[in-house]
Amino acid sequence: MAVTIRAVERPNGSGGSKEPTLPEAIAFDCYRTLFDNSHEDWKLTFGEIIEAQGLPLDSEEFWTRWRKYEVNFRKIRTDLGRPYNSPPFKSYRQAWTECFQNVFDDLGLGSESGADAVAAGHRAAMHMTDRPIYPETIEALKLLRGRVKLGVFSNVDDDGLSPLLANAGLDFDFVASSESAQVYKPALAAFEHLFEGLGVDPAKTWYVGDQLFDDVLGGYRAGATTVWVNRNGDKIDREPEPDIEITDLRDLSTVLEHIGG
C-alpha cells in the first residue's frame, strides 16, 4: 500500500492550502474505482455483438471505430465554463446506440446486413451490469461502514449501476448516476446532486475516483477533498493535484486513522 497526502490550495480562495480533515462522508466513482471495466472486456462484448448480428468485422476494428465516436461524445457532453451551453443530456444507452449507427453508416452496413444499432446499444448498456469487482472493494467498504456516510456517483445509466451494486451486495447511504442526475461529472451540478443526497457539506466529503478529469477536477471544483485511486502508478498530468493519492481502497481506512490521530 502507498499513500500520498497533499496540502492542495482550495478553489476560490477558500482557506488557502491545507491538508485533508476527517470527513463525514466518503463517496465513490464506480467503474475502475470499485469495479474493473477494462478495454479488453469491452472488446469481448463487441465480439458478442459481431457474432449475434453476423457483422463482417473483427472486434478490434469494431471497437476502434466505435470508440472514436464515443470519445467525442465524452468531449462535448459537458461545457464546464458555460454549463448552460452544454448539449441536452443523453443517456449512455442513447449515445452508444448513436455511436453504433455512425459506425454502421461509415461501413455501409444497413439493416439488410443484420446491423442493428439499437440491439448493439442495448448489449453495450448491459455490459455495465456485470463487471468484476476489485478484490479489496468489499473489505474497504466494511472498514468504513459506521465511521462515515457512504455514497456513489457514477457516470453511467441507472440500468447499469443499480444491478451491478445489488448483485455485489454493496450498500450505500446514497447512490446516484449521471442519468438520475441528468448531468455528467465533472460538472458542478453532478457533485451538488451527490452532496444533497448525502445531506453533507462538500467540505466534509471525500470523493474517490480513478479519473483526474471527471473525479479529481470535478470534486475539487465542488469543494470536496479529492482521493485519486492510482492502481497503475500513473503520473499526474493535469491540475489540480489530488488531495490524497492511494493505490488500494483499503488505504482509505489507514488515512482516516492517520488524520484522526
Side-chain angles (χ1 to χ4, degrees), residues 16 120 153 164 224 244 261:
F153 189 105
L164 182 72
I244 301 168

Side-chain angles (χ1 to χ4, degrees), residues 192-235:
E192 291 173 340
H193 183 79
L194 172 65
F195 302 143
E196 182 179 357
L198 284 169
V200 177
D201 187 273
K204 298 178 180 179
T205 305
W206 290 6
Y207 188 75
V208 184
D210 69 296
Q211 294 294 313
L212 290 170
F213 182 64
D214 288 351
D215 304 323
V216 173
L217 174 62
Y220 171 85
R221 293 175 75 245
T225 294
T226 59
V227 183
W228 184 37
V229 187
N230 183 14
R231 290 186 173 91
N232 300 319
D234 295 331
K235 301 297 183 182

Side-chain angles (χ1 to χ4, degrees), residues 105-251:
D105 289 346
D106 289 345
L107 296 172
L109 296 175
S111 57
E112 71 283 352
S113 70
D116 185 338
V118 172
H122 173 75
R123 180 64 191 91
M126 290 301 97
H127 175 96
M128 307 305 288
T129 68
D130 185 24
R131 299 293 81 225
I133 193 168
Y134 284 116
E136 80 272 17
T137 294
I138 293 176
E139 181 183 352
L141 293 175
K142 285 182 177 178
L143 290 169
L144 298 174
R145 172 62 62 189
R147 300 165 72 179
V148 291
K149 289 183 177 181
L150 297 175
V152 169
F153 189 105
S154 181
N155 282 348
V156 69
D157 294 353
D158 289 335
D159 60 6
L161 182 61
S162 297
L164 182 72
L165 298 180
N167 291 339
L170 302 187
D171 181 42
F172 295 90
D173 297 289
F174 180 70
V175 173
S177 69
S178 52
E179 185 180 29
S180 66
Q182 292 288 287
V183 65
Y184 287 98
K185 297 178 298 178
L188 183 60
F191 290 90
E192 291 173 340
H193 183 79
L194 172 65
F195 302 143
E196 182 179 357
L198 284 169
V200 177
D201 187 273
K204 298 178 180 179
T205 305
W206 290 6
Y207 188 75
V208 184
D210 69 296
Q211 294 294 313
L212 290 170
F213 182 64
D214 288 351
D215 304 323
V216 173
L217 174 62
Y220 171 85
R221 293 175 75 245
T225 294
T226 59
V227 183
W228 184 37
V229 187
N230 183 14
R231 290 186 173 91
N232 300 319
D234 295 331
K235 301 297 183 182
I236 297 174
D237 59 1
R238 63 173 303 121
E239 294 184 343
E241 293 184 315
D243 295 289
I244 301 168
E245 182 178 339
I246 61 177
T247 58
D248 186 300
L249 293 174
R250 290 168 292 192
D251 294 341

Side-chain angles (χ1 to χ4, degrees), residues 12-161:
N12 303 321
S14 56
S17 301
K18 58 183 179 181
E19 291 193 354
T21 57
L22 287 174
E24 293 181 5
I26 297 179
F28 298 84
D29 170 52
C30 183
Y31 299 92
R32 305 193 76 171
T33 297
L34 303 174
F35 296 80
D36 197 4
N37 188 32
S38 72
H39 287 182
E40 294 310 309
D41 279 350
W42 269 105
K43 291 173 188 177
L44 292 175
T45 293
F46 273 60
E48 294 173 4
I49 296 170
I50 289 169
E51 183 175 359
Q53 300 190 14
L55 301 175
L57 294 167
D58 65 64
S59 58
E60 186 73 36
E61 178 190 5
F62 195 13
W63 162 258
T64 300
R65 287 178 175 274
W66 180 87
R67 182 71 172 152
K68 178 186 69 173
Y69 288 109
E70 203 267 351
V71 167
N72 186 63
F73 163 68
R74 292 172 183 264
K75 288 180 179 179
I76 67 173
R77 68 190 180 190
T78 302
D79 187 328
L80 292 182
R82 296 169 295 178
Y84 49 84
N85 278 356
S86 297
F89 179 84
K90 287 182 182 178
S91 69
Y92 270 123
R93 181 187 289 266
Q94 179 183 354
W96 289 347
T97 297
E98 292 175 1
C99 292
F100 282 114
Q101 189 60 61
N102 288 335
V103 172
F104 295 154
D105 289 346
D106 289 345
L107 296 172
L109 296 175
S111 57
E112 71 283 352
S113 70
D116 185 338
V118 172
H122 173 75
R123 180 64 191 91
M126 290 301 97
H127 175 96
M128 307 305 288
T129 68
D130 185 24
R131 299 293 81 225
I133 193 168
Y134 284 116
E136 80 272 17
T137 294
I138 293 176
E139 181 183 352
L141 293 175
K142 285 182 177 178
L143 290 169
L144 298 174
R145 172 62 62 189
R147 300 165 72 179
V148 291
K149 289 183 177 181
L150 297 175
V152 169
F153 189 105
S154 181
N155 282 348
V156 69
D157 294 353
D158 289 335
D159 60 6
L161 182 61

